[in-house]
Each structure stands twice: as structure tokens, then as C-alpha cells.
Amino acid sequence: MERVADGVWLLQGDLRNSMNIYFIEDGDGVVQFDAGSKAMAKKARATGEELGGVSRVVLGHAHPDHRGTAPSIGAPVYCHPDEVEEAESDASLWPYLDLSMLPAPARWIFPTLLRRWDGGATKIAGTIAEGNEVAGFRVLHFPGHAPGQIGLWRESDRVALVSDVVYLLDSARLGKPLPAGEASVPHPAWSWDHAKAKESVRKLAALEPKVVAAGHEEPLRGENLRETLERAAEKY
Ligand SMILES: [Zn+2]
């Protein structure tokens, strides 16, 4: 487990340790933000218990590698209203994703990987949207990669937990990490609406974050990540 910021912990696992689950201290326990892949379930449960117990799971979005542990944590699961249908469905590959746009072999391998990462249908206990508060963070809506993609923002130390608003790995290949200090808007194959995905990366840039902790790979850090993120919005 790695300390990302005051009261924020990161658990990494699965494929090259590139899948991220965050735990945010909240009262006597923690809120779990994102749920990684199914293979991380045992480690996620142990981590949540070690930190005082998970009061609720908040999904950044409902893709298989972000809802994987959600059904097995034993806490109520929340997401944005626009993610409820996908979260509660059995489908591992949601129809708006067009993986045929990816180069080979990624376009052939990802469907299998998505099924393997998936923890399956997840009952949603309630919804959260922009303006709500989660464990001292403000919820922001970043639609594009998924319609109900959300992030968590804490102004006091400029920390953003952003799920897949940006990738710190190469989303057109099999998840090779990007060079240190680089970020990217998701490849269009991974977008519900690519134009909105680019806008959302710019919205994140305008916050001038110092820490961008994403759904995959190590958090990005800098005094002001605005320029890095503005460049990231233009990658695809
Ligand atoms: Zn995703």
C-alpha cells in the first residue's frame, strides 16, 4: 500500500500491478474509490479492514477493470447516475466501446482481458454526481471515456483522483506505461464520446492539480500539471 496524499492510500494489483484502488480515510473507516479487477478482491478486502473498514465503494466509472472487486467488498456501491445501467449489467464489453479501432494484437486480446478482469454485475445502492462530497473531496463529472465518469478533487492540497479521465499508460497497446511525466486522453476506441473525453481532460488541466492519481499506473506529480494535461488532451 502506498500513501498518495494526506489520508489517501493506493492499492495496486493485477496486470503488472497497473490496476489501482484508492482508500480515503473518512471518520473511523475508509471510502473505497474505484474497485480494480476481480483478482484484487482478497487484497482489497484485507486493505479495507486494515484501514478500519469500508463504509462505501464509489466507482469512478463502471468498466470491468474498475468494478472488479465491488460485488465482494460487502459495502454499498455508489456511482454516477449515467453509470448505473452498465454497473448493474452482466456485460463486460459495453456496446459504445469499439475495440476494432485499436491496432493488433490489442484489439483481439482486450475482449478476453476485460472478461477476466470483470467482477460482474454490481448492485448500485445510490448515486452521486458533481457537487456531492466524498470523504473531504468534491465530486466532479468528467464525461467522455464513460458517460458517468467522475473524479474526486481536493482543493486544499490540489489532489485529483481521476479514474480513467486520463491514462498514464498506452491505451492503444497492451498497457505499456507512458514515459515518466506524460499523460494521455484515452484512445478513441475507449471512449463513449471522444470530443467530451478531450474536454474533460482540459477541465482537469484547468484545476491546476499537483497530484493526478489515475486508474492505472503510479500517480503523476508536479508543482502544476496544467501544461502536461493540456498536452494529454491532444494525444488522440
Ligand atoms: Zn475505463
Side-chain angles (χ1 to χ4, degrees):
M1 225 193 337
E2 172 188 338
R3 185 179 174 279
V4 171
D6 189 30
V8 181
W9 300 91
L10 166 59
L11 174 71
Q12 297 187 299
D14 212 317
L15 189 71
R16 289 185 306 92
N17 252 0
S18 66
M19 305 279 186
N20 295 343
I21 298 177
Y22 295 90
F23 295 89
I24 313 165
E25 293 173 13
D26 188 32
D28 295 336
V30 284
V31 172
Q32 179 181 326
F33 181 61
D34 257 347
S37 67
K38 187 182 178 181
M40 296 172 74
K42 209 172 146 192
K43 254 172 43 175
R45 275 200 306 274
T47 304
E49 277 161 29
E50 196 184 317
L51 292 169
V54 174
S55 58
R56 58 174 167 160
V57 177
V58 173
L59 300 180
H61 64 301
H63 290 166
D65 52 327
H66 294 259
R67 72 172 184 178
T69 68
S72 56
I73 297 298
V77 182
Y78 289 74
C79 69
H80 189 276
D82 296 343
E83 293 297 294
V84 174
E85 195 188 353
E86 181 175 349
E88 294 192 331
S89 107
D90 286 325
S92 297
L93 185 55
W94 207 238
Y96 62 72
L97 296 177
D98 182 4
L99 303 191
S100 70
M101 293 169 79
L102 294 171
R107 80 171 89 115
W108 303 317
I109 296 170
F110 268 119
T112 307
L113 287 176
L114 288 166
R115 274 192 296 277
R116 186 182 305 163
W117 291 332
D118 199 1
T122 301
K123 182 84 197 107
I124 297 300
T127 58
I128 51 167
E130 177 146 325
N132 288 156
E133 204 237 38
V134 171
F137 282 75
R138 192 154 50 93
V139 175
L140 294 176
H141 189 204
F142 291 107
H145 173 65
Q149 170 75 68
I150 54 165
L152 302 180
W153 168 241
R154 190 165 68 188
E155 177 93 40
S156 58
D157 53 358
R158 315 200 81 76
V159 174
L161 311 182
V162 300
S163 190
D164 283 348
V165 177
V166 287
Y167 279 135
L168 306 176
L169 47 70
D170 183 345
S171 58
R173 289 175 186 81
L174 283 168
K176 196 168 145 280
L178 292 175
E182 276 185 34
S184 166
V185 65
H187 184 280
W190 297 109
S191 287
W192 162 69
D193 182 322
H194 188 61
K196 285 194 170 66
K198 289 162 77 82
E199 249 172 66
S200 285
V201 176
R202 287 187 209 105
K203 177 176 173 173
L204 175 62
L207 296 171
E208 304 194 338
K210 286 187 175 183
V211 179
V212 171
H216 306 280
E217 301 295 337
E218 284 292 306
L220 194 59
R221 296 173 188 276
E223 258 321 290
N224 179 350
L225 294 169
R226 184 175 196 141
E227 270 181 42
T228 302
L229 292 164
E230 279 170 356
R231 275 198 306 277
E234 303 309 319
K235 289 267 164 79
Y236 294 109

